[in-house]
Amino acid sequence: LHNLNNNSNSLIKFELNQEFDDPQRNVRAIIESQFLSLRIHAQLMGFQLNNLNEQILIVTGGASNNKSILQILANIFGVKVYTIEYTINTAAYGSALRALHSFVNLNNNNNNNSLF
């Protein structure tokens, strides 16, 4: 890699470290960076990480079958991580629940009867 030096027009050459030669470290670094990004995003949306002993994450999907990935998630968020037994089509199920929630809220605005 090359970078332009601020003091002159010469290029500074950076050698790749041997750290990048280890595929296992690379994969773990990518997973950690994704979970760190997820944690920051969750905090910006209001997820509070104050009382960690009482908070949990419930994860679904293909990665929820990988105990190493779940451990990294638990380490990054500092909470207990749980999975559910039925993980097939959970994205579709969550989307359907969200659609139901929106539909009920739309009707509640018209009727003032609250289900959620």
Side-chain angles (χ1 to χ4, degrees):
L1 297 175
H2 291 87
N3 186 21
L4 188 61
N5 187 345
N6 291 336
N7 298 330
S8 69
N9 291 332
S10 64
L11 291 176
I12 302 172
K13 185 176 180 182
F14 291 99
E15 298 293 330
L16 288 179
N17 233 330
Q18 286 187 343
E19 292 177 41
F20 295 108
D21 292 336
D22 185 355
Q24 289 179 338
R25 284 188 184 178
N26 293 345
V27 170
R28 183 178 176 97
I30 290 170
I31 292 169
E32 287 176 351
S33 70
Q34 291 299 306
F35 286 154
L36 283 168
S37 177
L38 183 63
R39 178 184 167 144
I40 291 168
H41 186 72
Q43 287 176 301
L44 291 173
M45 291 186 347
F47 185 77
Q48 301 293 320
L49 295 173
N50 298 336
N51 195 352
L52 299 180
N53 291 330
E54 296 178 10
Q55 294 177 330
I56 64 169
L57 285 176
I58 301 172
V59 295
T60 62
S64 67
N65 294 320
N66 187 314
K67 291 183 180 183
S68 297
I69 290 177
L70 295 178
Q71 184 60 59
I72 294 170
L73 181 63
N75 293 345
I76 297 294
F77 275 83
V79 297
K80 294 178 182 177
V81 175
Y82 293 90
T83 62
I84 59 175
E85 188 173 327
Y86 179 76
T87 61
I88 298 172
N89 296 326
T90 52
Y93 180 66
S95 297
L97 288 176
R98 184 65 184 119
L100 175 64
H101 180 259
S102 297
F103 177 76
V104 169
N105 283 338
L106 178 65
N107 285 337
N108 286 343
N109 289 339
N110 296 333
N111 299 334
N112 286 332
N113 295 328
S114 178
L115 292 176
F116 288 95

